[in-house]
Amino acid sequence: MNHQLRKMLNEMPRECARWILVTGGAGYIGSHTALQLLLEGYKVVIVDNLDNSDEEAVKRVVDLSGKHGVNLYFFKAVGESVAKPLHYYSNNLIGTLNLLELMADVGCKKLVFSSSATVYGQPKSVPCTEDFPVEALNPYGRTKLFIEEISRDLQYSDPEWRIILLRYFNPVGAHPSGLIGEDPRGIPNNLMPFVQQVAVGRLPELTVFGSDYNTRDGTGVRDYIHVQDLATGHSAALQKLFNTKDIGCAAYNLGTGRGTSVLEMVAAFEKACGKILPLRIADRRPGDASELFAATEKAEKELGWKAESGIDDMCRDQWNWASRNPWGYRPPHSIEAIIDASNKQA
Ligand code: UFG
């Protein structure tokens, strides 16, 4: 894989800023971002191990990008199946180190890293500004934190690097076409994919984790951001990288600056899908912050970017995707799903 990638990176015209390598480009955020970049005229190389994503998403990105589809290149990276949390460490840390090394070797020293609001841990106050102290509450968060630190060290050691760390808040929604969206393997961990699967009848009820937080209705508050806004946030970050020689290693929040509770989000989704969703209140989930939302001023001022969609738009687009693709990219009786299942049994 490294060999193929090295060849590809070497062949990219050096002076040309229009080639973008999108790792995880078949996934939820990656596919929306890759599409956005193609539509803006970039040449996009997707690398993905298809561990928690589907090749079908890449095909649909090509369809949606029309004449720009010829500018998409897709590499399958070999996926490793190891037990979590080693899985996260192996994929996120080793994968990133290999990539950074390769990029340095071929002189491609511009990086936009997908970090996460999870690095704010349990913040002392909200909204979270980019200079808040960072901490990790779980292995996933730790990998994000480590890579942020590695990026800082790397940039410090070699000022030619230009690095932007994007701290995503809670991405939800789907492309308005309803052709691409979130399709996690197995039982979803996150709120909105779970809600979506209850709405289409794949899961019987939603469990609300905690109703005794110090928030307006007692449930956890998060900053949900439309995945389309997240995609344009990446393109704004790239522009900033290309235009700012001395960017160094800079962090930006990608959020809306508005907090929404679990129950408010469920109500918005019920409105979008026209159904009442069965739910059960349970204990808090360990490690969950009560309230997390972004300070957006830095991204607005320095990237010239602002999220546009509200939660009704997010729920409308997510329901459009869910109702058209209740089983995601692979209906349970599709030939791909049957082969997948028999491979797992073997
Ligand atoms: N929640 C439920 N029931 C569920 C799932 C979630 O009540 O079945 C609640 C949580 O307790 C929380 C809110 O919904 O209050 C949002 O939870 P998510 O799991 O959707 O999102 P988190 O904010 O906990 O974390 C997510 C990702 C992290 C990522 C973080 C910030 O899981 O990996 O967003 O980007 F780092």
Side-chain angles (χ1 to χ4, degrees), residues 10-82:
N10 263 325
E11 281 168 4
M12 291 180 185
R14 212 51 28 225
E15 73 289 356
C16 176
R18 308 297 290 179
W19 284 85
I20 313 291
L21 179 70
V22 181
T23 59
Y28 173 45
I29 297 168
S31 58
H32 287 79
T33 301
L35 174 59
Q36 178 69 27
L37 298 179
L38 283 168
L39 293 175
E40 290 181 22
Y42 289 101
K43 291 183 195 297
V44 173
V45 181
I46 286 180
V47 184
D48 202 296
N49 61 13
L50 301 179
D51 208 24
N52 191 23
S53 57
D54 208 291
E55 207 168 339
E56 177 63 19
V58 180
K59 292 190 188 136
R60 296 190 187 183
V61 165
V62 172
D63 288 347
L64 285 167
S65 59
K67 68 177 172 44
H68 298 284
V70 294
N71 290 329
L72 182 79
Y73 304 79
F74 177 49
F75 280 93
K76 250 183 256 180
V78 181
E80 280 176 60
S81 175
V82 272

Coordinates of all heavy atoms in Angstrom, one line a residue, residues 10-82:
N10 N 4.3 10.8 -5.5 CA 5.4 11.3 -6.2 C 5.0 11.8 -7.6 O 5.6 12.7 -8.1 CB 6.4 10.2 -6.5 CG 7.6 10.2 -5.4 OD1 8.0 11.3 -5.1 ND2 8.0 9.1 -5.0
E11 N 3.9 11.2 -8.1 CA 3.5 11.6 -9.5 C 2.6 12.9 -9.5 O 2.4 13.5 -10.5 CB 2.7 10.4 -10.1 CG 3.6 9.4 -10.6 CD 2.9 8.1 -11.0 OE1 1.7 8.1 -10.9 OE2 3.6 7.1 -11.4
M12 N 2.1 13.3 -8.3 CA 1.3 14.5 -8.3 C 2.2 15.7 -8.6 O 3.3 15.8 -8.1 CB 0.8 14.7 -6.9 CG -0.3 13.7 -6.5 SD -0.8 14.1 -4.8 CE -1.9 12.7 -4.5
P13 N 1.7 16.5 -9.5 CA 2.5 17.7 -9.9 C 2.8 18.5 -8.6 O 1.9 18.8 -7.9 CB 1.6 18.4 -10.8 CG 0.5 17.5 -11.2 CD 0.4 16.5 -10.1
R14 N 4.1 18.8 -8.4 CA 4.6 19.4 -7.1 C 4.0 20.8 -6.9 O 3.6 21.2 -5.8 CB 6.1 19.5 -7.2 CG 6.9 19.4 -6.0 CD 6.7 18.3 -5.0 NE 6.3 17.0 -5.4 CZ 5.3 16.3 -4.8 NH1 4.7 16.8 -3.8 NH2 5.0 15.1 -5.2
E15 N 3.9 21.5 -8.0 CA 3.4 22.9 -7.9 C 1.9 23.0 -7.7 O 1.4 24.0 -7.4 CB 3.9 23.8 -9.1 CG 3.2 23.5 -10.4 CD 3.5 22.1 -11.0 OE1 4.4 21.4 -10.5 OE2 2.9 21.8 -12.0
C16 N 1.3 21.9 -7.9 CA -0.2 21.9 -8.0 C -0.8 21.6 -6.7 O -0.7 20.5 -6.1 CB -0.6 20.8 -9.0 SG -2.4 20.7 -9.2
A17 N -1.6 22.6 -6.2 CA -2.2 22.4 -4.8 C -3.5 21.7 -5.0 O -4.2 21.5 -4.0 CB -2.4 23.8 -4.2
R18 N -3.9 21.3 -6.1 CA -5.3 20.8 -6.4 C -5.4 19.3 -6.1 O -6.5 18.8 -6.3 CB -5.8 21.2 -7.8 CG -5.6 22.6 -8.1 CD -6.4 23.6 -7.3 NE -7.8 23.5 -7.5 CZ -8.7 24.2 -6.9 NH1 -8.3 25.1 -5.9 NH2 -10.0 24.1 -7.1
W19 N -4.4 18.6 -5.7 CA -4.5 17.2 -5.4 C -4.7 17.0 -3.9 O -3.9 17.5 -3.1 CB -3.3 16.4 -5.8 CG -3.1 16.2 -7.3 CD1 -2.5 17.0 -8.2 CD2 -3.4 15.0 -8.0 NE1 -2.5 16.4 -9.4 CE2 -3.0 15.1 -9.3 CE3 -4.0 13.8 -7.6 CZ2 -3.2 14.2 -10.3 CZ3 -4.2 12.8 -8.6 CH2 -3.8 13.0 -9.9
I20 N -5.8 16.3 -3.5 CA -6.0 16.1 -2.1 C -6.1 14.6 -1.8 O -6.9 14.0 -2.5 CB -7.3 16.8 -1.6 CG1 -7.4 18.3 -2.1 CG2 -7.4 16.8 -0.1 CD1 -6.4 19.2 -1.5
L21 N -5.4 14.2 -0.8 CA -5.5 12.8 -0.4 C -6.5 12.8 0.8 O -6.2 13.4 1.8 CB -4.1 12.3 0.1 CG -4.0 10.9 0.6 CD1 -4.2 9.9 -0.6 CD2 -2.6 10.7 1.2
V22 N -7.5 12.0 0.6 CA -8.5 11.9 1.7 C -8.5 10.5 2.3 O -9.0 9.6 1.7 CB -10.0 12.2 1.2 CG1 -11.0 12.2 2.3 CG2 -10.0 13.6 0.5
T23 N -7.9 10.4 3.5 CA -7.9 9.1 4.2 C -9.3 8.9 4.8 O -9.9 9.8 5.3 CB -6.8 9.0 5.2 OG1 -7.0 10.0 6.2 CG2 -5.4 9.2 4.6
G24 N -9.8 7.7 4.7 CA -11.1 7.4 5.2 C -12.2 8.0 4.4 O -13.3 8.3 4.8
G25 N -11.9 8.2 3.1 CA -12.8 8.9 2.2 C -14.1 8.1 1.8 O -15.0 8.7 1.2
A26 N -14.1 6.8 2.2 CA -15.4 6.1 1.9 C -16.3 6.1 3.1 O -17.4 5.7 3.0 CB -15.0 4.6 1.6
G27 N -15.8 6.7 4.2 CA -16.6 6.8 5.4 C -17.6 7.9 5.4 O -17.8 8.6 4.3
Y28 N -18.3 8.1 6.5 CA -19.3 9.1 6.6 C -18.8 10.5 6.3 O -19.3 11.2 5.3 CB -20.0 9.0 8.0 CG -21.0 10.1 8.3 CD1 -22.0 10.4 7.4 CD2 -20.9 10.7 9.6 CE1 -22.9 11.4 7.8 CE2 -21.9 11.6 10.0 CZ -22.9 12.0 9.1 OH -23.8 12.9 9.4
I29 N -17.9 11.0 7.1 CA -17.4 12.4 6.9 C -16.6 12.5 5.6 O -16.7 13.4 4.9 CB -16.6 12.8 8.2 CG1 -17.6 12.8 9.4 CG2 -16.0 14.2 8.0 CD1 -16.9 13.0 10.7
G30 N -15.7 11.4 5.4 CA -14.8 11.4 4.3 C -15.6 11.5 3.0 O -15.1 12.2 2.0
S31 N -16.7 10.8 2.8 CA -17.4 10.8 1.5 C -18.0 12.1 1.2 O -17.9 12.6 0.1 CB -18.4 9.6 1.5 OG -19.4 9.8 2.5
H32 N -18.6 12.8 2.3 CA -19.2 14.1 2.0 C -18.1 15.1 1.7 O -18.3 16.0 0.9 CB -20.0 14.5 3.3 CG -21.3 13.8 3.4 ND1 -21.3 12.5 4.0 CD2 -22.5 14.1 3.1 CE1 -22.6 12.1 4.0 NE2 -23.3 13.0 3.5
T33 N -16.9 15.0 2.4 CA -15.9 15.9 2.2 C -15.2 15.7 0.8 O -15.0 16.7 0.0 CB -14.8 15.8 3.3 OG1 -15.4 16.0 4.5 CG2 -13.6 16.8 3.1
A34 N -15.1 14.4 0.4 CA -14.5 14.2 -0.9 C -15.4 14.7 -2.0 O -14.9 15.3 -3.0 CB -14.3 12.6 -1.1
L35 N -16.7 14.6 -1.8 CA -17.6 15.1 -2.8 C -17.5 16.6 -2.9 O -17.4 17.2 -4.0 CB -19.1 14.7 -2.5 CG -20.2 15.3 -3.3 CD1 -20.0 14.9 -4.8 CD2 -21.6 14.8 -2.8
Q36 N -17.5 17.3 -1.8 CA -17.4 18.7 -1.8 C -16.1 19.2 -2.5 O -16.2 20.1 -3.3 CB -17.4 19.2 -0.3 CG -17.2 20.7 -0.2 CD -18.4 21.5 -0.6 OE1 -19.5 21.0 -0.6 NE2 -18.2 22.7 -1.1
L37 N -15.0 18.5 -2.3 CA -13.7 18.9 -2.9 C -13.8 18.6 -4.4 O -13.3 19.5 -5.2 CB -12.6 18.1 -2.2 CG -12.4 18.4 -0.7 CD1 -11.2 17.6 -0.2 CD2 -12.1 19.9 -0.5
L38 N -14.4 17.5 -4.8 CA -14.5 17.2 -6.2 C -15.3 18.3 -6.9 O -14.9 18.9 -8.0 CB -15.2 15.9 -6.5 CG -14.4 14.6 -6.2 CD1 -15.3 13.4 -6.2 CD2 -13.3 14.5 -7.3
L39 N -16.4 18.7 -6.3 CA -17.3 19.7 -6.9 C -16.6 21.1 -7.0 O -16.9 21.9 -7.8 CB -18.6 19.9 -6.1 CG -19.5 18.6 -6.2 CD1 -20.7 18.8 -5.2 CD2 -20.0 18.4 -7.6
E40 N -15.6 21.3 -6.1 CA -14.8 22.5 -6.1 C -13.7 22.5 -7.1 O -12.9 23.4 -7.2 CB -14.3 22.9 -4.7 CG -15.5 23.3 -3.8 CD -15.0 23.7 -2.4 OE1 -13.8 24.0 -2.3 OE2 -15.8 23.7 -1.5
G41 N -13.5 21.3 -7.8 CA -12.5 21.2 -8.8 C -11.2 20.6 -8.4 O -10.2 20.5 -9.2
Y42 N -11.1 20.1 -7.2 CA -9.9 19.4 -6.7 C -9.9 18.0 -7.4 O -10.9 17.4 -7.7 CB -9.9 19.2 -5.2 CG -9.7 20.4 -4.4 CD1 -10.7 21.1 -3.8 CD2 -8.4 20.9 -4.3 CE1 -10.5 22.2 -3.0 CE2 -8.2 22.1 -3.5 CZ -9.3 22.7 -2.9 OH -9.1 23.8 -2.2
K43 N -8.6 17.4 -7.5 CA -8.5 16.0 -7.8 C -8.3 15.3 -6.4 O -7.6 15.8 -5.6 CB -7.2 15.8 -8.6 CG -7.3 16.3 -10.0 CD -6.0 16.0 -10.8 CE -5.9 16.8 -12.1 NZ -6.9 16.5 -13.0
V44 N -9.1 14.3 -6.2 CA -9.2 13.7 -4.9 C -8.7 12.2 -5.0 O -9.2 11.4 -5.9 CB -10.7 13.7 -4.4 CG1 -10.8 12.9 -3.1 CG2 -11.1 15.2 -4.2
V45 N -7.8 11.8 -4.1 CA -7.4 10.4 -4.0 C -8.0 9.9 -2.7 O -7.6 10.5 -1.6 CB -5.9 10.3 -4.0 CG1 -5.5 8.8 -3.9 CG2 -5.3 11.0 -5.2
I46 N -8.8 8.9 -2.7 CA -9.4 8.3 -1.5 C -8.6 7.1 -1.1 O -8.4 6.2 -1.9 CB -10.9 8.0 -1.7 CG1 -11.8 9.2 -1.7 CG2 -11.4 7.0 -0.6 CD1 -13.2 9.0 -1.9
V47 N -8.2 7.1 0.2 CA -7.6 5.8 0.7 C -8.5 5.4 1.8 O -8.9 6.2 2.7 CB -6.2 6.1 1.3 CG1 -5.6 4.8 1.7 CG2 -5.3 6.7 0.2
D48 N -8.9 4.1 1.8 CA -9.8 3.6 2.9 C -9.6 2.2 3.1 O -9.4 1.4 2.1 CB -11.2 3.9 2.5 CG -12.2 4.0 3.7 OD1 -12.3 2.9 4.3 OD2 -12.7 5.0 4.0
N49 N -9.6 1.7 4.3 CA -9.5 0.2 4.6 C -10.8 -0.5 4.6 O -10.9 -1.7 4.8 CB -8.7 -0.1 5.8 CG -9.4 0.5 7.1 OD1 -10.5 0.9 7.0 ND2 -8.7 0.5 8.2
L50 N -11.9 0.3 4.4 CA -13.3 -0.2 4.3 C -13.7 -1.0 5.6 O -14.5 -1.9 5.5 CB -13.5 -1.1 3.0 CG -13.2 -0.4 1.7 CD1 -13.4 -1.3 0.5 CD2 -14.1 0.8 1.6
D51 N -13.1 -0.7 6.6 CA -13.3 -1.3 7.9 C -14.7 -1.0 8.5 O -15.4 -1.8 9.0 CB -12.2 -0.8 8.9 CG -11.9 -1.8 9.9 OD1 -12.0 -2.9 9.7 OD2 -11.4 -1.3 11.0
N52 N -15.0 0.3 8.4 CA -16.3 0.7 8.9 C -16.9 1.6 7.8 O -17.5 2.7 8.1 CB -16.1 1.5 10.2 CG -17.4 1.8 10.9 OD1 -18.4 1.1 10.6 ND2 -17.5 2.8 11.7
S53 N -16.7 1.2 6.5 CA -17.2 2.0 5.4 C -17.5 1.1 4.2 O -17.1 -0.1 4.3 CB -16.2 3.1 5.1 OG -15.0 2.5 4.7
D54 N -18.0 1.7 3.2 CA -18.4 0.8 2.1 C -18.0 1.4 0.7 O -18.1 2.7 0.5 CB -20.0 0.8 2.1 CG -20.5 -0.5 1.5 OD1 -20.3 -0.7 0.3 OD2 -20.9 -1.4 2.3
E55 N -17.5 0.6 -0.1 CA -17.1 1.0 -1.5 C -18.3 1.7 -2.2 O -18.1 2.5 -3.1 CB -16.6 -0.2 -2.2 CG -15.6 0.1 -3.3 CD -14.9 -1.1 -3.8 OE1 -14.9 -2.2 -3.2 OE2 -14.4 -1.0 -4.9
E56 N -19.5 1.2 -1.9 CA -20.7 1.8 -2.6 C -20.7 3.3 -2.4 O -21.2 4.1 -3.3 CB -21.9 1.1 -2.0 CG -23.3 1.7 -2.6 CD -23.5 1.5 -4.1 OE1 -22.8 0.6 -4.7 OE2 -24.3 2.2 -4.6
A57 N -20.3 3.8 -1.2 CA -20.3 5.2 -1.0 C -19.4 6.0 -2.0 O -19.7 7.0 -2.5 CB -19.8 5.5 0.4
V58 N -18.3 5.3 -2.4 CA -17.4 6.0 -3.3 C -18.0 6.0 -4.7 O -18.0 7.0 -5.4 CB -16.0 5.2 -3.4 CG1 -15.1 5.8 -4.4 CG2 -15.4 5.1 -2.0
K59 N -18.7 4.9 -5.1 CA -19.5 4.9 -6.3 C -20.5 6.1 -6.4 O -20.7 6.8 -7.4 CB -20.2 3.6 -6.5 CG -19.2 2.5 -6.7 CD -20.0 1.2 -7.2 CE -19.1 0.0 -7.2 NZ -19.6 -1.2 -6.6
R60 N -21.2 6.2 -5.3 CA -22.2 7.3 -5.2 C -21.6 8.7 -5.3 O -22.2 9.6 -5.8 CB -23.1 7.1 -4.0 CG -23.9 5.8 -4.1 CD -24.9 5.7 -3.1 NE -25.6 4.3 -3.1 CZ -26.6 4.0 -2.3 NH1 -27.1 4.9 -1.4 NH2 -27.1 2.8 -2.3
V61 N -20.4 8.8 -4.6 CA -19.7 10.1 -4.7 C -19.4 10.4 -6.2 O -19.6 11.6 -6.6 CB -18.5 10.1 -3.8 CG1 -17.6 11.3 -4.2 CG2 -18.8 10.1 -2.3
V62 N -19.0 9.4 -6.9 CA -18.6 9.6 -8.3 C -19.9 10.1 -9.1 O -19.9 11.1 -9.8 CB -18.1 8.4 -8.9 CG1 -17.9 8.5 -10.5 CG2 -16.7 8.0 -8.3
D63 N -21.0 9.4 -8.8 CA -22.3 9.7 -9.5 C -22.7 11.2 -9.2 O -23.0 12.0 -10.0 CB -23.4 8.8 -9.0 CG -23.3 7.4 -9.6 OD1 -22.5 7.3 -10.5 OD2 -24.0 6.5 -9.1
L64 N -22.6 11.5 -7.9 CA -23.0 12.9 -7.5 C -22.1 14.0 -8.0 O -22.5 15.1 -8.1 CB -23.1 12.9 -5.9 CG -24.3 12.2 -5.3 CD1 -24.1 12.1 -3.8 CD2 -25.6 13.0 -5.5
S65 N -20.9 13.6 -8.3 CA -20.0 14.7 -8.7 C -20.0 14.9 -10.2 O -19.3 15.8 -10.7 CB -18.5 14.4 -8.2 OG -18.1 13.1 -8.7
G66 N -20.9 14.2 -10.9 CA -21.1 14.4 -12.4 C -19.8 14.4 -13.1 O -19.0 13.5 -13.0
K67 N -19.5 15.5 -13.9 CA -18.3 15.5 -14.7 C -17.0 15.5 -13.9 O -16.0 15.2 -14.5 CB -18.4 16.8 -15.7 CG -18.2 18.1 -15.0 CD -18.2 19.2 -16.0 CE -18.3 20.6 -15.5 NZ -17.6 21.3 -14.5
H68 N -17.1 15.9 -12.7 CA -15.9 15.9 -11.8 C -15.5 14.4 -11.4 O -14.4 14.3 -10.8 CB -16.1 16.7 -10.6 CG -16.4 18.2 -10.9 ND1 -15.4 19.0 -11.3 CD2 -17.5 18.9 -10.9 CE1 -15.9 20.2 -11.5 NE2 -17.2 20.2 -11.3
G69 N -16.4 13.5 -11.6 CA -16.1 12.1 -11.2 C -14.8 11.6 -11.7 O -14.2 10.7 -11.1
V70 N -14.3 12.1 -12.9 CA -13.1 11.6 -13.5 C -11.9 11.9 -12.6 O -10.8 11.4 -12.8 CB -12.8 12.1 -14.9 CG1 -13.9 11.5 -15.8 CG2 -12.8 13.6 -14.9
N71 N -12.1 12.9 -11.7 CA -11.0 13.4 -10.8 C -10.9 12.6 -9.5 O -10.2 13.0 -8.6 CB -11.2 14.9 -10.5 CG -10.9 15.7 -11.8 OD1 -10.1 15.3 -12.6 ND2 -11.6 16.8 -11.9
L72 N -11.6 11.5 -9.4 CA -11.6 10.7 -8.2 C -10.7 9.4 -8.4 O -11.0 8.7 -9.4 CB -13.0 10.4 -7.7 CG -13.0 9.6 -6.4 CD1 -12.8 10.5 -5.2 CD2 -14.2 8.8 -6.2
Y73 N -9.8 9.2 -7.5 CA -9.0 8.0 -7.6 C -9.2 7.3 -6.2 O -9.2 7.9 -5.2 CB -7.5 8.4 -7.7 CG -7.3 9.2 -9.0 CD1 -7.6 10.6 -8.9 CD2 -6.8 8.7 -10.1 CE1 -7.4 11.4 -10.0 CE2 -6.7 9.4 -11.3 CZ -6.9 10.8 -11.2 OH -6.8 11.6 -12.3
F74 N -9.3 5.9 -6.3 CA -9.7 5.2 -5.1 C -8.7 4.1 -4.9 O -8.4 3.2 -5.7 CB -11.1 4.6 -5.2 CG -11.5 3.8 -4.1 CD1 -11.3 4.2 -2.8 CD2 -12.1 2.5 -4.3 CE1 -11.7 3.4 -1.7 CE2 -12.5 1.7 -3.2 CZ -12.3 2.2 -1.9
F75 N -8.0 4.0 -3.6 CA -7.1 3.0 -3.3 C -7.7 2.2 -2.1 O -8.0 2.8 -1.1 CB -5.8 3.5 -2.8 CG -4.9 4.0 -3.8 CD1 -4.9 5.3 -4.3 CD2 -4.0 3.1 -4.4 CE1 -4.1 5.7 -5.3 CE2 -3.1 3.5 -5.4 CZ -3.2 4.8 -5.8
K76 N -7.7 0.9 -2.3 CA -8.1 0.2 -1.1 C -6.9 -0.1 -0.2 O -5.9 -0.7 -0.7 CB -8.7 -1.2 -1.5 CG -10.2 -1.2 -1.2 CD -10.7 -2.6 -1.6 CE -11.4 -2.6 -2.9 NZ -11.9 -3.9 -3.3
A77 N -7.0 0.3 1.1 CA -5.9 -0.1 2.0 C -6.3 -1.3 2.7 O -7.5 -1.5 3.0 CB -5.6 1.0 3.0
V78 N -5.3 -2.2 3.0 CA -5.7 -3.5 3.7 C -6.1 -3.2 5.1 O -5.4 -2.5 5.9 CB -4.5 -4.4 3.7 CG1 -4.9 -5.8 4.3 CG2 -4.0 -4.6 2.2
G79 N -7.3 -3.7 5.5 CA -7.8 -3.5 6.8 C -7.3 -4.6 7.8 O -7.1 -5.7 7.4
E80 N -6.9 -4.2 9.0 CA -6.5 -5.2 10.0 C -7.6 -5.3 11.0 O -8.1 -4.4 11.5 CB -5.2 -4.6 10.7 CG -4.0 -4.8 9.9 CD -2.8 -4.1 10.7 OE1 -2.6 -4.6 11.8 OE2 -2.3 -3.2 10.1
S81 N -7.8 -6.6 11.4 CA -8.8 -6.8 12.3 C -8.2 -7.2 13.7 O -7.7 -8.3 13.9 CB -9.7 -8.0 11.8 OG -10.6 -8.3 12.8
V82 N -8.1 -6.2 14.6 CA -7.5 -6.4 15.9 C -8.5 -6.0 17.0 O -9.3 -5.1 16.7 CB -6.2 -5.7 16.1 CG1 -5.0 -6.6 15.6 CG2 -6.2 -4.4 15.4

